[in-house]
Amino acid sequence: MIPVQGVEGRTIAVLGLGRSGLATARALVAGGASVVVWDDGQEGRDRATAEGYDLRDLTRANGPSAGWTGIDMLVVSPGIPHLYPAPHPVIARAMALGLPVDNDIGLFFRSLATRDWEMLDNPPRVIAVTGSNGKSTTTALIHHILEVAGRPVQMAGNIGRGVLDIDPPGEGGVVVLELSSYQTDLARALTPDIAVFTNLSPDHLDRHGGMGGYFAAKRRLFAEGGPDRAVIGVDEPEGVFLANQTGQGPLDDRVIRISSGQKLDGFGWSVFARKGHLAEWRKGRQMASVDLRGVAGLPGAHNHQNACAAWAATRSLGLSPKLIEGALHSFAGLPHRSQMLRDRAGVRFINDSKATNTDSAAKALQAFPRIRWIAGGLGKEGGIAALAPHLGSVSKAYLIGHSARDFAVQMGTIPHEICETMERAVTRAAEEAEAGEVVLLAPAAASFDQYANFEKRGEDFARLVAALP
């Protein structure tokens, strides 16, 4: 646990009592704060009551004399809106009273360093990863590479444990964080040693008031704390802008530009992948080259970009190209992200349930040459129209969930079948697939019409695939 600093003797309210909320409450108590808590859901309130926290319904507290008396600060879980499309009533009230509003990420960055670090020869480092797609894989890959290198490393944030729930890092320790736009948008402190921006595509736009607000939330990771090293994907205009704003010129090697598809050899430091080969360039010289085509855990150009980001981050810590290359080959990948489940008579079954938007689905569709595509769920604005240029490798689509018929209208001349359920889609795709083809679950839609989350959807797909004769 990371005890929160600077809260001794203060009363802090915590809103939202999921994994990160309860970890935050514990860390505040460990730092000497008095804590009151609230969650709109009964399940969260029951968990807090079981741990003995002071449960206070701040939604009914309409003034300082009605529940807010003595509260010095509000800490908010990331899933709760604080500005768009409208702030949660508790957050709105806290702001109206002038109380600071923060989240666990902000508390983490202000509390991680201690006086004990002055005695360390190699103080701990923090690598923070953000972006639209590839955050989880990049974070897990960096963590894996450091484990292979024998470095003491912990993974937290939007993946793994809550940031305040990890152990205080010691000599040479590294903390690798995945940070969503929800987390970077509100944190009052953001001071990573190495910051990584993978890419940007439209997502969570209602939460950020549009694309500009979404990018601004990501950009805060670089603008607020000024990381020692910035690893920035430049395959979109926003990344090019961010690299320009962060660096002092093209040869400034504090900025490492990364790309999947572009050659970047005119900069102080760059890592890029083209046609399945990763190259690292520094000050006009190629420093390393790796063939990624045989790395089973990182299929496709989108995963090659993730490899470039992880390569750049771990090279910034001084790891050797040879060590990193070996670690890439031993990386198994993450569940629900281009996860190879089974090879059945020459037909591979790939679980990419995490592909909940068209951008991530497009990347999955470009990773394989012959695809039986399972898609659908709770579709987002625009449906799958944006995927039209990427459907050339699809032999047939098997459509499920709430948006199955809407997606069917947008399929054009691509053969398709409305299956509605995952069970029917897996059965039909398995019956029709031929050796050399891939049955790919890349839904391009949210899961909430049929499943609690994308993990449950992917688990159901995996169960059905495992049960095939």
Side-chain angles (χ1 to χ4, degrees), residues 8-149:
E8 187 173 0
R10 304 177 71 194
T11 299
I12 313 294
V14 176
L15 176 65
L17 300 171
R19 175 175 61 94
S20 66
L22 283 174
T24 299
R26 298 182 196 111
L28 286 165
V29 170
S34 297
V35 175
V36 300
V37 300
W38 181 252
D39 192 292
D40 291 338
Q42 187 62 48
E43 184 179 350
R45 297 197 292 269
D46 289 345
R47 284 194 296 264
T49 301
E51 293 195 28
Y53 288 107
D54 179 3
L55 196 66
R56 191 181 302 182
D57 186 354
L58 298 173
T59 63
R60 297 179 181 275
N62 295 318
S65 61
W68 288 91
T69 302
I71 291 178
D72 299 298
M73 181 181 186
L74 176 66
V75 180
V76 180
S77 292
I80 303 172
H82 57 271
L83 185 57
Y84 302 114
H88 186 282
V90 171
I91 300 175
R93 186 60 189 160
M95 290 184 175
L97 293 170
L99 300 178
V101 178
D102 205 347
N103 61 16
D104 62 332
I105 303 301
L107 298 181
F108 168 84
F109 276 112
R110 83 182 212 186
S111 304
L112 182 64
T114 65
R115 292 186 181 275
D116 295 340
W117 285 22
E118 297 176 2
M119 308 300 295
L120 302 178
D121 294 326
N122 186 10
R125 309 287 295 280
V126 177
I127 302 174
V129 181
T130 195
S132 294
N133 297 302
K135 296 188 301 296
S136 296
T137 297
T138 298
T139 303
L141 182 56
I142 293 170
H143 179 263
H144 172 74
I145 293 168
L146 290 168
E147 279 193 320
V148 170

